[in-house]
Amino acid sequence: MRKNTYLFVALLSAGLVACNNEPSFKVEGTVAGAADKMLYLEHTSLEGIVALDSVKLNDGGSFHFSEARPDAPDFYRLRLDNQVINFVVDSTETVKVNADANGFATAYQVEGSENNQKIKELVLLQADLQDKVNKLGRSGLPAGIAQDSLISLVNTYKNNVKRNYIFVAPNKAYAYFALFQELNGYMIFDPLTNKEDVKCFAAVATSLNNMYPHADRSRNLYNMVIKGMKNTRTPQVQNVTIPADKIKETSIIDIELKDVDGKVHHLTDLKGKVVLVDFTAYASAVSGARNLALRDLYDKYASQGLEIYQISLDADEHFWKTSADNLPWICVRDPQGTYSNYVSLYGVTQLPTAFLINRNNELTLRIDEKTNMEEAIKKLL
C-alpha cells in the first residue's frame, strides 16, 4: 500500500511539473509614484479587451505578471487608471517595463524586443498627431482651411508610417499594430474604402499568412483585405444614363436614400434651402474632425436656411448608424458604397467631396481645397 502511495505522489508531482513547464511569458518592472494604485494586465483580443490579472502597487511600484505564451504574436497592455502601455508578446519570454504614474502611457521604457521599441515609437508619433489635430480644432480657422490642414497632417503621418513601419517590415508585429492606430476614435488607415490603405493591409496580411497561417489575426486581416479589395477595385467603365425623373423640373440630380430610421429623404425636397451635399465615409480618419467643422457651420446657419445632406459610403452599416445617430442634419447611406450610382452621376473621385446647392435647387459649387466653405455658404444664404 505504501509503495502504491509513493507511486501516486510521484505521478502527481510529474504532472505538476509538466503543467509548470507550459510555455509562458512574463511582464515585470516598476511604476514610480503609483503606490496603492491598481495595475492591470489586459489582453487586446480581436473581440475586445480581456482582463487577465491585476496587482496593487506598493511604495516601490514593482510588479510581476505571468501568462501562457500565445502560439503567434499577440497584443497586450498594462493599464493604470485610464492610461495604457501597449506591447506585443512574440518569441520573447520576458518584457520589462519601467514607467512613472505621471505620463505612464508615453514616458515609459520597455525592454525585451525590437517590436515593442517600435510600438512605443508609433504611440509617440500618434500622440503627436493627436496633439496637432487638437490644436487645429482650437485654432478658430475657417472650416475649409482647417479641413485642408487636417488632411495634410493625416497624409504626412500616413506616408511616414507606411515608409518606416509598414512596408519596410510587413512581417513584424509593429507593422500590424500601425494599421490599427486611431485618431479621434477613427482608424487612421482605412481598410475598406481607401485603395492605397488596402495595399498596406495586404502587405501585412500576406506576411502574417505565410508565417502564422492558422492564427486568428492572420485570418481576420486576410478577410479584411479581401473585402477592401472588392470595395476599391476599379469598376468597368460604362456610360451612366441619368433617369428622366431625377432631372425633371430641377437642375440637380435627385438623390433618394434612407436615414438611420429607414425614412427616405429626397434631395429635391429641400428646395428653398441652401444645401451642402456631402459624400463621406465615417470610417475615415478625417471624418470626426470634419463633422465637428460641419457642426460649427450648421449651428451658425441652420436657422438662416442651411441644410446638410450627408451621404455615407461606409461598408459597415452598423458603424454608420452608430456614428450618424447624434448628428443634427440629414444622414443617409448608400448601401452600394463606392459603387454608388450617385458617385458616378456627381463625379465623386475621392472622399470627402461636397457640393453647394442654392435655394432654387441649382447646383452652384463643387467644394475643393481652395474653397472657403463658410464664405460660400453665406453668399447663398
Side-chain angles (χ1 to χ4, degrees):
M1 179 68 71
R2 182 179 297 175
K3 184 176 181 180
N4 289 337
T5 301
Y6 289 151
L7 179 60
F8 173 76
V9 172
L11 290 172
L12 180 61
S13 299
L16 291 173
V17 170
C19 291
N20 290 334
N21 286 335
E22 180 183 353
S24 63
F25 71 90
K26 301 174 184 177
V27 189
E28 57 189 29
T30 59
V31 182
D36 297 326
K37 287 182 173 288
M38 294 298 297
L39 180 68
Y40 299 88
L41 174 65
E42 299 171 333
H43 177 209
T44 309
S45 73
L46 291 174
E47 290 74 32
I49 303 300
V50 179
L52 297 178
D53 203 351
S54 63
V55 64
K56 187 174 183 179
L57 298 170
N58 56 26
D59 290 340
S62 61
F63 66 89
H64 175 94
F65 296 116
S66 181
E67 293 289 335
R69 194 191 310 174
D71 295 330
D74 212 346
F75 295 87
Y76 300 83
R77 68 185 204 175
L78 294 172
R79 179 170 62 85
L80 183 74
D81 296 329
N82 62 345
Q83 300 185 83
V84 299
I85 294 175
N86 293 287
F87 64 94
V88 67
V89 172
D90 42 26
S91 59
T92 304
E93 293 185 3
T94 302
V95 177
K96 293 184 178 180
V97 178
N98 293 308
D100 193 286
N102 184 23
F104 179 80
T106 54
Y108 64 91
Q109 300 297 321
V110 60
E111 301 175 15
S113 75
E114 176 197 14
N115 273 312
N116 286 322
Q117 293 287 351
K118 293 292 186 180
I119 285 175
K120 181 186 176 182
E121 291 176 15
L122 286 163
V123 167
L124 294 177
L125 286 172
Q126 188 276 339
D128 181 63
L129 174 63
Q130 185 68 67
D131 183 59
K132 290 177 180 177
V133 170
N134 291 343
K135 289 179 180 177
L136 182 62
R138 299 190 297 267
S139 66
L141 290 171
I145 297 174
Q147 180 184 327
D148 294 342
S149 299
L150 172 64
I151 292 173
S152 177
L153 284 172
V154 172
N155 286 340
T156 299
Y157 178 88
K158 288 169 71 171
N159 289 335
N160 177 27
V161 172
K162 286 179 186 179
R163 182 174 61 253
N164 295 314
Y165 295 90
I166 295 176
F167 289 131
V168 72
N171 61 321
K172 298 290 188 178
Y174 63 78
Y176 180 98
F177 180 84
L179 294 176
F180 293 92
Q181 286 192 293
E182 295 183 349
L183 178 66
N184 289 337
Y186 294 90
M187 288 178 62
I188 296 173
F189 288 91
D190 176 7
L192 298 178
T193 61
N194 186 304
K195 192 170 186 177
E196 293 304 311
D197 289 359
V198 172
K199 292 178 182 177
C200 298
F201 281 79
V204 178
T206 300
S207 296
L208 274 183
N209 273 303
N210 287 337
M211 299 174 68
Y212 308 100
H214 303 298
D216 289 341
R217 290 190 186 273
S218 300
R219 291 195 294 268
N220 181 66
L221 196 62
Y222 177 79
N223 289 334
M224 291 176 68
V225 170
I226 294 300
K227 191 171 185 179
M229 291 176 69
K230 288 180 179 179
N231 288 345
T232 59
R233 69 177 183 267
T234 303
Q236 293 182 348
V237 178
Q238 55 184 347
N239 294 324
V240 178
T241 302
I242 303 176
D245 64 331
K246 292 191 180 296
I247 58 174
K248 186 177 181 180
E249 296 182 356
T250 180
S251 64
I252 62 168
I253 302 166
D254 191 21
I255 298 177
E256 179 186 349
L257 292 170
K258 295 178 181 179
D259 65 15
V260 293
D261 297 318
K263 179 182 177 182
V264 175
H265 291 268
H266 285 267
L267 179 59
T268 50
D269 286 345
L270 299 175
K271 188 173 183 178
K273 290 181 175 288
V274 172
V275 184
L276 173 68
V277 180
D278 186 50
F279 288 85
T280 192
Y282 295 147
S284 69
V286 301
S287 177
R290 177 179 174 79
N291 279 342
L292 285 175
L294 292 182
R295 185 68 177 260
D296 181 55
L297 291 173
Y298 189 83
D299 290 345
K300 285 183 181 179
Y301 301 112
S303 62
Q304 299 178 40
L306 174 67
E307 184 57 85
I308 297 176
Y309 189 96
Q310 192 169 54
I311 304 137
S312 161
L313 302 179
D314 289 272
D316 188 329
E317 181 179 7
H318 176 73
F319 179 80
W320 161 67
K321 286 184 176 180
T322 302
S323 301
D325 188 49
N326 294 317
L327 295 177
W329 51 76
I330 297 171
C331 300
V332 296
R333 173 177 173 268
D334 194 324
Q336 300 303 314
T338 53
Y339 299 104
S340 164
N341 197 36
Y342 298 120
V343 167
S344 300
L345 292 172
Y346 275 83
V348 175
T349 58
Q350 64 179 17
L351 297 178
T353 292
F355 303 87
L356 278 177
I357 296 171
N358 67 19
R359 295 182 187 271
N360 295 321
N361 256 184
E362 297 168 338
L363 185 64
T364 61
L365 181 65
R366 182 189 185 103
I367 295 171
D368 58 29
E369 63 276 4
K370 298 179 181 179
T371 305
N372 184 319
M373 195 183 305
E374 184 168 4
E375 288 302 315
I377 290 171
K378 287 166 66 176
K379 286 180 181 179
L380 294 179
L381 289 172

